[in-house]
Amino acid sequence: MQLSTTPAQDGFYFPAEFQPVSQVWLAWPERRDNWRDSALPAQQTFARIANAIADVTKVCVAVSSKQFDHARQVLHCEIRLVEIPYNDAWMRDIGPTVVVNKAGERRGISWTFNAWGGAYNGLYENWQQDDLVASSVCDIIGIDHYRAPFVLEGGAIHTDGEGTLYTTEECLLSPGRNPQLSKAEIEKNLREYLSIEKVIWLPKGLFNDETDGHVDNLMHVIAPGKVVLSWTDDPSDPQYALSREAEKVLKAHKDAKGRSIEVIRLPLPGPLHYSEGEASGIDISKGMNRHAGERLSASYANFLIVNEHVFLPLLDEKTDAEAMAILNEAMPEYQIIGIPSREVLLGGGNIHCITQQIPA
């Protein structure tokens, strides 16, 4: 059921990803103007990721009727498949953000979705089905939902579950999202729908990120007052200045509970680029241009935390082990599970972008 109130009015708040999770949702990739070679390589990678997560918690995968049988063959038998219409497979952005209250009740938020920029710079022209996915997921799992009257994607926000929200100005203030709203009005909406007390605005996201700088590709909150941040020490890399700007903001602010924020630097893979074969393997479309040699927006921060496990994208054999080691040290109580995920990266995101956790 769609509610007419807001989460803040009803005492619901946005919990952290490191709080207990009851299930994780994905959507099956098939869009040929985004996933190369009829999406088959991406489907193999999505299956590997979904099957790994299924060892830790319940997994549900949205799928189209024409892909149902193929998905059933490659996904573990305990993974639930649900036929839901959608335009592309970014469940973080099209699925519900689920909020909880002190009694442990859950409700979903269906953000307004416009393909990361609408008519201004959206990645595709028809996103009507995507915009209905969050409410469908809420119906399937049996929770009520709120419909937010402004554009937002799940990948644009991170929280510590204790009142602090992290986002980027590049994304939330982009002309394609909510041009009619001021920064203060957007912040008021975030407080109303997520019950957060403080917004920490980072200037920009990761270089060449076609989502206009989603925060989940730049950093991740791993504990209250503790974040990992994508980092490079190469002054010639365009990300060099962007990461330093972000770190400066993080270190200048206290979180909602008055704590200083500990920043752990996580090296970037690469730089990585589209190969000739990868760029030419997709159908040409207006919104999603892929060119050989173009920089990929690759990041180890785009991982998923589920019940004491971290599902980490493996992207570059020169830096994978270092990223694993840094996270092992920063999160000693977690099991770090690395999964090769370049095929997800080629579509414009990574493991965090294709998953949406439902709190326990």
Side-chain angles (χ1 to χ4, degrees):
M1 183 177 78
Q2 185 173 320
L3 303 159
S4 58
T5 49
T6 69
Q9 287 169 352
D10 297 338
F12 284 75
Y13 73 95
F14 184 24
E17 199 172 302
F18 47 77
Q19 289 170 244
V21 166
S22 68
Q23 56 184 278
V24 171
W25 277 73
L26 298 89
W28 195 245
E30 60 176 289
R31 196 183 172 101
R32 291 174 178 226
D33 61 352
N34 192 35
W35 307 104
R36 71 187 181 113
D37 303 342
S38 305
L40 286 167
Q43 289 167 358
Q44 290 172 339
T45 302
F46 271 62
R48 200 176 303 136
I49 292 165
N51 289 338
I53 298 169
D55 291 336
V56 171
T57 193
K58 184 178 167 187
V59 172
C60 300
V61 178
V63 65
S64 69
S65 54
K66 65 173 187 266
Q67 284 287 333
F68 193 96
D69 291 342
H70 172 53
R72 186 69 284 168
Q73 285 169 355
V74 294
L75 291 167
H76 284 177
C77 58
E78 71 271 19
I79 292 177
R80 181 183 180 187
L81 294 188
V82 186
E83 281 188 41
I84 300 177
Y86 53 92
N87 301 106
D88 203 2
W90 303 104
M91 189 55 86
R92 175 68 47 184
D93 295 341
I94 63 177
T97 296
V98 176
V99 290
V100 299
N101 68 6
K102 292 219 166 27
E105 296 171 304
R106 301 175 298 182
R107 291 178 180 175
I109 302 168
S110 170
W111 307 109
T112 302
F113 180 79
N114 71 352
W116 310 276
Y120 178 76
N121 66 339
L123 297 186
Y124 39 81
E125 288 176 356
N126 183 344
W127 55 80
Q128 277 66 32
Q129 291 177 331
D130 280 345
D131 197 29
L132 297 171
V133 168
S135 59
S136 298
V137 170
C138 290
D139 289 345
I140 290 161
I141 62 180
I143 61 174
D144 293 335
H145 73 276
Y146 304 92
R147 173 63 173 177
F150 60 104
V151 175
L152 188 80
E153 306 92 31
I157 49 175
H158 263 317
T159 186
D160 61 0
E162 296 186 2
T164 314
L165 191 83
Y166 299 84
T167 190
T168 71
E169 294 175 346
E170 179 186 3
C171 179
L172 263 55
L173 306 184
S174 64
R177 299 293 199 296
N178 300 290
Q180 77 286 4
L181 298 177
S182 68
K183 184 177 179 179
E185 287 168 330
I186 290 171
E187 191 163 316
K188 184 171 177 284
N189 278 330
L190 294 172
R191 291 170 187 269
E192 200 57 53
Y193 279 84
L194 297 168
S195 294
I196 44 93
E197 297 153 39
K198 179 164 186 174
V199 181
I200 294 180
W201 292 90
L202 303 177
K204 288 193 162 74
L206 210 63
F207 175 71
N208 211 32
D209 184 342
E210 61 190 1
T211 65
D212 303 312
H214 269 185
V215 77
D216 72 346
N217 218 19
L218 176 70
M219 58 156 279
H220 208 307
V221 186
I222 59 171
K226 193 173 181 182
V227 306
V228 293
L229 175 66
S230 297
W231 194 261
T232 176
D233 284 318
D234 176 5
S236 68
D237 191 317
Q239 187 57 39
Y240 182 87
L242 301 179
S243 291
R244 276 155 184 76
E245 282 175 30
E247 187 184 60
K248 192 174 162 188
V249 170
L250 289 165
K251 291 194 163 172
H253 281 88
K254 299 272 196 280
D255 69 11
K257 295 281 185 251
R259 291 175 290 235
S260 296
I261 298 162
E262 182 186 352
V263 180
I264 294 160
R265 298 171 177 178
L266 198 57
L268 284 175
L272 306 177
H273 303 84
Y274 285 102
S275 71
E276 187 67 56
E278 289 165 347
S280 62
I282 62 163
D283 294 355
I284 302 298
S285 75
K286 204 169 91 177
M288 289 176 283
N289 298 306
R290 309 279 185 248
H291 304 292
E294 185 187 349
R295 171 84 172 255
L296 291 159
S297 194
S299 161
Y300 292 116
N302 206 301
F303 56 79
L304 176 72
I305 304 174
V306 185
N307 300 340
E308 265 68 68
H309 294 73
V310 169
F311 297 92
L312 177 73
L314 298 182
L315 297 164
D316 182 352
E317 54 192 25
K318 294 195 288 292
T319 44
D320 286 347
E322 186 187 354
M324 295 264 297
I326 288 169
L327 287 175
N328 271 312
E329 189 177 340
M331 308 172 76
E333 66 279 28
Y334 290 79
Q335 186 180 341
I336 316 293
I337 299 162
I339 305 173
S341 61
R342 183 177 174 94
E343 291 300 331
V344 186
L345 174 62
L346 295 176
N350 227 295
I351 293 174
H352 196 259
C353 302
I354 63 168
T355 54
Q356 181 58 278
Q357 76 281 353
I358 310 296

